[in-house]
Amino acid sequence: MAVKISTISVLILSLALLSLGHCCYGQLRVGFYSTKCPNVENIVSKVVGEAFIKDSSIAPAMIRLYFHDCFSNGCDASLLLDGVNSEKKASPNLSVRGYEVIDDIKSAVEKECDRVVSCADIIALATRDLVSLASGGKTRYEIPTGRLDGKISSALLVDLPSPKMTVSETAAKFAQRKLSLSDMVLLLGGHTIGVAHCSFIMDRLYNFQNTQQPDPSMDPKLVQELRLKCPKDSSTDGIINLDQNSTSSNTMDVSFYKEINIRRGVLHIDQKLATDDLTSKMVSDIANGNDFLVRFGQAMVNLGSVRLISKTKDGEIRRSCRSPCNNPLCV
């Protein structure tokens, strides 16, 4: 009898731990606001849906905002704060957009739940819903919530991987955030939607590593196509799709991986994913598989748990996402 009870106890404990593993990331958990602000996800979905109908490019913009906020100093909405030397002023963040959508969501949420939902969680929820919309409703991952907003935002603290880095250098930066190589390959798959400015690839098109020649790893036909969109002596900085499959460049799918597998990657780091020994097999597996959206969602959840603020003395719940509260009542 004692053995049976012990076995049952172990089984119950195992199931409890399994359940915990599926629902929680440290201080975060799915349904964090279920009693505090039960309608928050519906509010986010409504505002995001309206924004997407007006301009579907808000999806890649929000993915980028989420990545830039989380990767630099943790998911604390410090990127949203205004200020002369705030994170917004750092060079990699000057073209980040989506702030107005977050403002609209925050205003709607505050009317129903005063100083309950963090701006950091609003970013995470909005990004999740936009990924779903960009996939045509084919995916909608569960995103744990319970983040606090940061009180400090400094351009000097911004630390993001450059698109000109090697795979090993980029992987090292991800590892510093406890993100795996798989997370890195999947998160860069966010480039299946969105655009880049010509200035990021002019060297690949015209003078790769000071050779006066294009990057030999880029399909010559793509070089010619992109040169038409990014003329050498242009006075304007044009934009180009990161996924060069024109039928799929605005859809969350595996097309990006298929393109880089045939040397049609736009950014240097994107193309290297397909050729570097560290990542080439992963790229092929994703390109030829049918689980990218599920795996991408999991990587986004992992990104959302980077360097969280765990103590209320270091974080707060802002009323306005653009300014810190600086008030004990905010925490």
Side-chain angles (χ1 to χ4, degrees):
M1 183 68 176
V3 173
K4 290 182 179 180
I5 292 174
S6 176
T7 302
I8 292 171
S9 298
V10 170
L11 178 60
I12 291 173
L13 177 60
S14 298
L15 288 172
L17 290 173
L18 180 62
S19 174
L20 183 65
H22 281 289
C23 77
C24 310
Y25 276 67
Q27 72 196 53
L28 307 182
R29 68 176 187 272
V30 173
F32 181 84
Y33 297 110
S34 59
T35 57
K36 299 177 182 179
C37 189
N39 201 35
V40 61
E41 295 204 21
N42 291 331
I43 295 172
V44 172
S45 294
K46 181 177 184 297
V47 176
V48 159
E50 292 170 352
F52 185 80
I53 289 172
K54 292 178 183 176
D55 178 11
S56 62
S57 73
I58 190 60
M62 193 63 70
I63 292 173
R64 185 167 182 244
L65 189 157
Y66 176 66
F67 181 84
H68 281 222
D69 182 59
C70 288
F71 199 90
S72 268
N73 301 299
C75 304
D76 63 356
S78 54
L79 179 56
L80 303 184
L81 290 172
D82 289 330
V84 176
N85 296 308
S86 68
E87 288 183 28
K88 285 181 180 178
K89 303 300 182 181
S91 179
N93 291 332
L94 293 178
S95 57
V96 171
R97 63 187 181 89
Y99 302 115
E100 293 78 8
V101 174
I102 300 299
D103 290 340
D104 290 345
I105 296 170
K106 182 63 170 172
S107 295
V109 170
E110 285 297 305
K111 290 177 182 177
E112 189 157 326
C113 311
D114 183 33
R115 285 187 300 200
V116 171
V117 181
S118 69
C119 299
D121 279 340
I122 287 174
I123 295 173
L125 291 167
T127 304
R128 184 272 310 275
D129 285 353
L130 283 164
V131 168
S132 178
L133 289 167
S135 74
K138 292 180 180 178
T139 187
R140 191 175 188 274
Y141 54 90
E142 294 285 358
I143 186 77
T145 46
R147 298 167 185 80
L148 290 172
D149 296 325
K151 300 178 181 180
I152 299 171
S153 181
S154 170
L156 297 176
L157 297 177
V158 171
D159 182 21
L160 293 162
S162 164
K164 297 184 184 297
M165 282 181 168
T166 66
V167 169
S168 295
E169 290 169 340
T170 306
K173 273 196 175 294
F174 275 74
Q176 290 168 4
R177 277 85 178 163
K178 297 183 179 179
L179 293 169
S180 69
L181 193 63
S182 176
D183 288 327
M184 181 189 84
V185 174
L186 289 161
L187 289 170
L188 286 174
H191 290 170
T192 195
I193 54 177
V195 298
H197 285 278
C198 289
S199 54
F200 281 99
I201 64 162
M202 294 301 280
D203 62 328
R204 295 195 74 205
L205 298 181
Y206 297 100
N207 187 23
F208 185 67
Q209 296 181 348
N210 295 316
T211 61
Q212 302 300 316
Q213 297 295 321
D215 185 345
S217 70
M218 182 183 285
D219 173 22
K221 183 179 178 182
L222 179 61
V223 171
Q224 296 306 314
E225 291 171 2
L226 294 181
R227 281 181 170 181
L228 294 175
K229 298 176 181 178
C230 302
K232 191 173 186 179
D233 300 316
S234 176
S235 59
T236 59
D237 193 5
I239 57 173
I240 45 179
N241 290 326
L242 288 169
D243 180 353
Q244 281 296 300
N245 178 348
S246 60
T247 66
S248 174
S249 56
N250 296 313
T251 305
M252 285 294 302
D253 57 21
V254 298
S255 175
F256 166 79
Y257 297 98
K258 293 180 183 294
E259 289 293 297
I260 64 176
N261 254 352
I262 54 174
R263 300 170 58 199
R264 290 178 60 84
V266 172
L267 298 179
H268 175 75
I269 183 58
D270 292 349
Q271 189 55 66
K272 286 300 181 184
L273 289 179
T275 58
D276 193 284
D277 289 342
L278 282 174
T279 53
S280 59
K281 186 179 185 304
M282 290 185 198
V283 168
S284 293
D285 288 346
I286 295 170
N288 297 314
N290 58 9
D291 61 350
F292 164 64
L293 291 175
V294 172
R295 295 175 65 188
F296 179 78
Q298 184 58 58
M300 291 289 275
V301 170
N302 294 344
L303 174 63
S305 65
V306 168
R307 296 177 178 174
L308 298 175
I309 296 173
S310 59
K311 298 178 181 178
T312 54
K313 69 181 180 66
D314 299 319
E316 61 188 12
I317 305 294
R318 297 180 210 144
R319 175 166 280 160
S320 166
C321 290
R322 293 178 182 253
S323 59
C325 183
N326 294 323
N327 186 326
L329 294 178
C330 283
V331 298

